[in-house]
Amino acid sequence: MPNPRTFQIKSFGCQMNVYDGERMAELLEAEGLAAAAPGEADLVVLNTCHIREKAAEKVYSEIGRLKREDGSRPMIAVAGCVAQAEGAEIPRRAPSVDIVVGPQAYHRLPALVGEAAAGRRAVDTDMPLASKFGALPKRRRQGPSAFLTVQEGCDKFCTYCVVPYTRGAEVSRPWAAVIDEARALVDAGAKEITLLGQNVNAWEGEDEGGRTQGLDGLIRALDRIPGLARIRYTTSHPNDMREGLIRAHGEVETLMPYLHLPVQSGSDRVLRAMNRSHSADRYLRVLERVRAARPDIALSGDFIVGFPGETEAEFEATLEIVRAVNYAQAYSFKYSPRPGTPAATMEGQVPAEVQDERLQRLQALLNAQQLAFNRATVGKRTTILVERDGKRPGQRVGKSPWLQSVHVKTDAPLGSLVGVDVVEAGPNSLRGTAIPAEGGVSFRNVPARPEEIPAFAGMTA
Ligand code: SAH
Ligand code: SF4
Ligand code: F3S
């Protein structure tokens, strides 16, 4: 197979995979390859996710689809978490795969491509001690909102989860490396940075003065970068939600009022079986403190239904905690047994029909909460970061501070902050009208009265 001149990267799974996909693209471009349209690339990188069975199986149907009409195919690389979990098993099952590269080894992708071009199958799922980040080229333009991985891996070992195996041990990137990359992103035009990690709020490092800092310290340092208008972070674990970070939500103007804090279940018995090491009550108490610091914060979470042994009453405890919190947004999943995880062999696996039915009930509740949250912003004024063109002519789409998509008629360029009056709300987006820039719109002027939004009134003290 000749050396590829063009490439395409397809990322599945979480935002960390999206970030890795961008870094791989930068790496290949630095090697002289050019990005190509789907179906036209010499090299296709499938950047995969292993979190649930459906996600993991997707890679094999994707590989099948890469065959061209004339019977030829591109060079195929499988990257990401399936690559890490299945390694050399992948080409055994799908012989057209030329390269397998894990999430901690993708800085070696150019060398692996060389191997494959020379006709040798290349598998690299090492987790080298030296981080890949030092070997990656500088960041380039990504658009108004950029991801920045600051922490990787996980030491929590929830009994259902593959991440500690596919991403390895929890590692924080050094302070200076993060600040440098953030500056490079802002220089390249980013107005918003989302700090990423599987347990991003466990980030720890030493600042220039050798002082130990947590994620809040890092956020305060990023807040001082001129031109960076918005900071977000995801995903967090309830046990790592420390006082300083909670305080930052009330004090740092650029830190957006949005928190994704998964709880998974409202039943303490299930939480113990999941090895989450917190109770439902402790989770609620954390949120109470967060809401005290930032009353208008939008809350988001992850839920698993039908975990092994979950009874109807235990599932109802999950509905209960959802009612108590009142989420602005959430993700919910049917439990999927993953090879090598303790939960996969637990007794009491819940039948698919029961899982389906529970998921429907949970999603109905979460959807209603999301719609209520969106509707409560109608009639309010806020600021959006314009991120892309809308479907209709003259329309742009931006994000509110609460991460809602807002459709607006405006000719403001991508990357601008535009004041809007919210006029209409649907389940997944809002419509607004642009207001003159001199309006002096602050991030905090929606909602005028937090108690007007059911999501904010839901907490019981
Ligand atoms: N590190 C993050 C999330 C990692 S995976 C955290 O701990 O919050 C994203 C979500 O996928 C999890 O929060 C969980 O809700 C879901 N998930 C993980 N493993 C799963 C499994 N085996 N079956 C179904 N959902 C799962
Ligand atoms: Fe998985 Fe739990 Fe780690 Fe999240 S905290 S990545 S769910 S093991
Ligand atoms: Fe999936 Fe790996 Fe992310 S398993 S959710 S791509 S860390």
Side-chain angles (χ1 to χ4, degrees):
M1 194 169 272
N3 261 308
R5 293 212 304 257
T6 58
F7 71 92
Q8 188 208 348
I9 296 178
K10 268 187 105 166
S11 289
F12 308 89
C14 62
Q15 288 112 324
M16 300 184 73
N17 254 16
V18 175
Y19 173 87
D20 290 340
E22 287 166 359
R23 304 298 320 248
M24 283 190 265
E26 290 164 351
L27 186 59
L28 293 172
E29 282 178 354
E31 295 288 318
L33 280 79
E40 286 167 20
D42 302 333
L43 164 69
V44 175
V45 181
L46 299 172
N47 192 19
T48 59
C49 173
H50 198 245
I51 201 82
R52 285 166 291 274
E53 191 183 352
K54 246 199 202 137
E57 283 300 310
K58 201 177 193 141
V59 56
Y60 293 102
S61 55
E62 287 286 328
I63 292 167
R65 238 177 278 150
L66 291 176
K67 205 165 176 182
R68 302 192 186 104
E69 267 171 27
D70 64 1
S72 68
R73 62 166 180 85
M75 182 184 281
I76 301 174
V78 176
C81 290
V82 179
Q84 192 64 39
E86 298 184 5
E89 189 54 36
I90 298 172
R92 274 196 283 275
R93 199 173 143 187
S96 57
V97 170
D98 303 288
I99 297 167
V100 176
V101 60
Q104 306 306 351
Y106 65 74
H107 55 298
R108 297 176 182 155
L109 187 56
L112 299 171
V113 168
E115 285 282 304
R120 287 185 292 272
R121 181 163 286 144
V123 177
D124 191 344
T125 52
D126 275 4
M127 293 204 177
L129 274 179
S131 142
K132 66 191 173 239
F133 293 106
L136 296 171
K138 234 180 135 53
R139 303 306 313 265
R140 58 164 167 70
R141 186 161 179 78
Q142 303 289 347
S145 182
F147 289 143
L148 202 181
T149 294
V150 301
Q151 185 264 358
E152 282 205 287
C154 182
D155 296 337
K156 298 254 185 329
F157 291 93
C158 300
T159 53
Y160 50 82
C161 185
V162 293
V163 171
Y165 312 99
T166 62
R167 293 267 164 175
E170 209 167 287
V171 179
S172 293
R173 287 181 69 193
W175 172 274
V178 174
I179 308 259
D180 285 352
E181 189 170 329
R183 284 215 185 93
L185 286 167
V186 173
D187 287 346
K191 294 286 179 350
E192 172 178 277
I193 290 181
T194 303
L195 305 174
L196 299 180
Q198 286 300 347
N199 281 297
V200 71
N201 58 344
W203 184 91
E204 217 174 65
E206 275 185 9
D207 65 13
E208 301 94 343
R211 287 172 299 258
T212 301
Q213 296 280 0
L215 188 68
D216 54 315
L218 189 60
I219 288 170
R220 286 177 193 274
L222 297 174
D223 175 61
R224 291 191 288 271
I225 297 180
L228 183 59
R230 293 180 163 193
I231 302 168
R232 301 180 185 275
Y233 63 94
T234 197
T235 296
S236 299
H237 193 284
N239 290 0
D240 295 317
M241 209 61 216
R242 290 186 277 261
E243 187 52 39
L245 184 56
I246 294 176
R247 220 178 316 120
H249 271 286
E251 295 172 359
V252 181
E253 199 73 13
T254 52
L255 180 58
M256 291 294 100
Y258 187 97
L259 175 65
H260 181 68
L261 197 66
V263 66
Q264 315 296 353
S265 167
S267 150
D268 286 342
R269 210 271 318 153
V270 173
L271 287 170
R272 264 196 307 279
M274 287 176 164
N275 192 33
R276 287 292 291 183
S277 62
H278 59 77
S279 63
D281 186 59
R282 175 153 170 208
Y283 175 81
L284 288 172
R285 277 186 282 122
V286 170
L287 291 189
E288 243 169 63
R289 285 158 57 215
V290 174
R291 272 180 165 144
R294 185 74 207 234
D296 68 342
I297 199 155
L299 294 171
S300 161
D302 289 345
F303 300 89
I304 295 176
V305 302
F307 186 80
E310 185 188 72
T311 64
E312 171 64 22
E314 285 166 346
F315 167 67
E316 279 166 20
T318 298
L319 296 178
E320 206 42 56
I321 201 170
V322 170
R323 282 190 204 101
V325 172
N326 230 332
Y327 288 92
Q329 212 255 325
Y331 302 91
S332 45
F333 312 99
K334 286 183 273 188
Y335 167 72
S336 168
R338 308 305 296 127
T341 60
T345 49
M346 282 180 187
E347 281 176 18
Q349 300 286 326
V350 176
E353 319 81 76
V354 178
Q355 288 189 325
D356 281 328
E357 188 260 346
R358 287 181 188 168
L359 187 66
Q360 275 182 28
R361 281 156 70 197
L362 175 60
Q363 288 186 340
L365 177 60
L366 290 167
N367 290 343
Q369 292 188 346
Q370 184 170 326
L371 183 59
F373 183 88
N374 287 347
R375 282 197 175 143
T377 59
V378 174
K380 303 286 163 55
R381 176 166 288 192
T382 189
T383 304
I384 62 165
L385 174 63
V386 179
E387 291 185 20
R388 58 185 171 89
D389 289 327
K391 284 203 191 88
R392 301 200 195 119
Q395 197 190 48
R396 298 258 152 94
V397 187
K399 288 275 166 61
S400 78
W402 302 274
L403 211 57
Q404 299 148 299
S405 290
V406 187
H407 299 254
V408 169
K409 245 197 174 133
T410 176
D411 48 17
L414 304 191
S416 4
L417 290 158
V418 173
V420 297
D421 286 322
V422 179
V423 295
E424 200 182 316
N428 299 312
S429 64
L430 310 176
R431 196 167 59 79
T433 51
I435 56 171
E438 313 82 73
V441 181
S442 97
F443 288 122
R444 282 180 185 259
N445 51 8
V446 164
R449 283 181 296 148
E451 61 278 13
E452 288 171 10
I453 292 194
F456 307 136
M459 295 290 291
T460 41

